[in-house]
Amino acid sequence: MPGMDYEALFAATPSPYLVLGRDLVIVEVNQAYLQATGRSRQDLLGQCIFDAFPDNPNDPEADGVQNLNASLNRVLASRAPDTMALQRYDIPVMGHPGSFEERWWSPINTPIVGQDGRVTWIIHRVEDVTAFVQARATGKRPGEHLTERDALEAELYGRARELQRLNEELRNAHTRERQVAVTLQEAMLQSPDLARHQDVAVRYLPAAGSLNVCGDWYDVVDLGDGRFAVAVGDVVGHGLEAAAVMGMLRSALSAAIRALERPAQALEVLGLYARSLEGALNTTVVKAMVDPRSHLIIYSNAGHPPPVLVHPDGTCMLLDDAVDPPLGARPQHVPRPQAGQPYSPGDTLVLYTDGLIERRDEDIDVGLARLIEALGRHSLLNPEHLADALLADLGLVRGAHDDIALVIVRL
């Protein structure tokens, strides 16, 4: 609203508010918070919140710092508000060093996200519910103005504390499950030959909200005489089941390309294997062999988005001359097509899964055009920097609704 004095509005807000930086240092405070804590602005501004309000050393069960710190870090990581259960967090008594006053709070932590997508500040809002909690504990009303509604709210604190305990147990269980899932995914995506290729960059981003596991994969395989093969694939679905199928298909294709070398033959073998593997049908995959001696890329594509060959001047070419249906899409075995594409030293080969270009309610050609435009704009970057710039330009640094695997090869 034009002419609105937002600084004065914040200062006059009746609920207590702090504004914290990413480092959890207090950068602003309103009058209600100062009154609730008995502090002045000079007491708080520029201090880490946990230096200003440490745990009560006389209370061996004090967990206010631990719980608030966990909540604030969840906000930084998720960029979403975090509502805490009723929380005991005693505060030091001003003018009496070592003395603490019992306090109970109902906190909400809300992020303010900057243009770079990172949390810039956190708004820490609290309500002092000490009177309610003490009323419940003693069975007495702390003042004449405590209403029946106040007493009912006080009764809720015990249930809220139990809910907080259960939520913490669920978070810990989810963390353990995620650690197992991540370990499994990392083991299945190991590519020993990749370490020998300094001009190859890979990225793997699971679908947002997943356990960090998915059905997308990438691989790099050395074939001798300087030749090597690269692949990306996409199993239908997300989660541990899709990741398990992915691991089996990836291993099978890695073995097939070592034995057969021709990408089309390797995909034919993989297609036969996929028919016997539950959850593998309609998997898409593209395999390309790079021969530095003849400066030739030989590739075959089973229903996958086409690789892109990027020239140093920013022009791009889609490698779409050997496209066939996904694995298991045909009822009978049919030889898969294969094509060759010459390249020049300094060109860049880009393989990816559809999560990089697909968007909801948008034709895939729009996403493909967006990818080509970004590749042309950053064609001179080295593979690692190109991968980062590409994800940034496409708004995918923090993942998307679908899984993403990306391989960038400087030829």
Side-chain angles (χ1 to χ4, degrees):
M1 179 179 295
M4 177 72 74
D5 187 341
Y6 290 101
E7 184 176 352
L9 180 65
F10 174 79
T13 303
S15 293
Y17 284 92
L18 278 182
V19 180
L20 306 173
R22 288 185 54 83
D23 53 3
L24 307 186
V25 168
I26 301 169
V27 297
E28 191 51 89
V29 57
N30 73 343
Q31 188 60 34
Y33 193 95
L34 297 176
Q35 291 176 347
T37 59
R39 268 43 175 192
S40 68
R41 289 174 59 82
Q42 291 73 23
D43 293 330
L44 298 181
L45 294 185
Q47 285 210 67
C48 174
I49 187 172
F50 301 121
D51 291 335
F53 299 105
D55 268 334
N56 184 352
N58 301 316
D59 182 1
E61 297 183 357
D63 57 2
V65 168
Q66 173 185 319
N67 294 337
L68 178 56
N69 186 56
S71 174
L72 295 172
N73 278 284
R74 283 195 295 271
V75 171
L76 289 172
S78 68
R79 298 179 299 166
D82 189 83
T83 300
M84 301 177 63
L86 297 187
Q87 177 68 53
R88 177 171 179 174
Y89 198 141
D90 297 348
I91 64 173
V93 179
M94 295 300 291
H96 297 79
S99 297
F100 281 73
E101 179 183 2
E102 179 183 335
R103 289 292 186 92
W104 292 83
W105 309 91
S106 176
I108 300 176
N109 299 307
T110 304
I112 299 177
V113 180
Q115 292 183 347
D116 60 357
R118 301 174 67 207
V119 174
T120 304
W121 297 293
I122 300 176
I123 298 175
H124 174 61
R125 173 181 178 268
V126 295
E127 294 294 343
D128 187 347
V129 294
T130 305
F132 302 150
V133 175
Q134 290 177 343
R136 180 191 184 279
T138 62
K140 299 178 181 178
R141 294 179 180 271
E144 296 179 357
H145 301 292
L146 192 64
T147 66
E148 290 185 6
R149 178 180 176 180
D150 295 332
L152 179 60
E153 291 178 354
E155 290 290 335
L156 295 177
Y157 107 91
R159 300 179 188 180
R161 294 289 291 173
E162 178 65 13
L163 181 60
Q164 182 184 41
R165 184 186 66 80
L166 293 174
N167 283 338
E168 190 63 30
E169 289 182 1
L170 285 174
R171 276 193 287 266
N172 290 338
H174 179 78
T175 299
R176 289 191 295 269
E177 185 178 1
R178 182 179 178 276
Q179 289 172 343
V180 171
V182 169
T183 301
L184 172 65
Q185 186 83 29
E186 290 176 348
M188 290 190 295
L189 286 177
Q190 283 186 356
S191 182
D193 294 345
L194 179 60
R196 291 187 281 273
H197 293 270
Q198 299 303 311
D199 288 331
V200 178
V202 297
R203 295 291 186 272
Y204 156 75
L205 287 80
S210 70
L211 285 174
N212 254 34
V213 294
C214 67
D216 287 15
W217 85 83
Y218 60 81
D219 198 11
V220 178
V221 177
D222 285 333
L223 300 175
D225 297 326
R227 296 172 301 156
F228 63 96
V230 293
V232 292
D234 184 357
V235 174
V236 176
H238 307 287
L240 290 174
E241 291 184 2
V245 174
M246 174 275 289
M248 289 184 279
L249 289 177
R250 181 179 183 271
S251 298
L253 182 58
S254 182
I257 195 66
R258 284 180 166 88
L260 300 171
E261 296 191 352
R262 295 183 67 249
Q265 289 181 319
L267 290 188
E268 288 175 25
V269 170
L270 187 66
L272 293 172
Y273 177 55
R275 292 180 186 177
S276 65
L277 186 61
E278 184 176 354
L281 298 184
N282 292 318
T283 293
T284 67
V285 58
V286 61
K287 191 80 179 183
M289 182 181 71
V290 178
D291 188 345
R293 301 169 303 177
S294 60
H295 293 168
L296 188 65
I297 301 169
I298 301 172
Y299 65 95
S300 185
N301 189 331
H304 203 80
V308 183
L309 185 63
V310 186
H311 302 302
D313 64 359
T315 59
C316 299
M317 173 185 296
L318 296 179
L319 303 188
D320 55 4
D321 289 337
V323 180
D324 215 32
L327 301 182
R330 288 197 177 107
Q332 295 181 343
H333 173 68
V334 176
R336 289 191 176 272
Q338 181 171 284
Q341 174 61 49
Y343 71 87
S344 300
D347 286 348
T348 303
L349 178 64
V350 180
L351 292 80
Y352 54 94
T353 53
D354 58 7
L356 189 71
I357 59 174
E358 283 190 341
R359 302 292 184 273
R360 292 178 179 176
D361 303 321
E362 180 181 270
D363 191 276
I364 193 170
D365 289 338
V366 176
L368 190 55
R370 185 166 49 238
L371 169 64
I372 291 173
E373 180 184 1
L375 287 171
R377 191 163 51 248
H378 301 296
S379 60
L380 296 179
L381 295 179
N382 66 48
E384 290 291 340
H385 290 160
L386 177 56
D388 292 337
L390 195 59
L391 294 174
D393 278 14
L394 300 180
L396 300 171
V397 173
R398 298 184 180 274
H401 293 293
D402 197 5
D403 317 317
I404 298 172
L406 173 66
V407 179
I408 298 179
V409 183
R410 179 60 45 81
L411 300 167

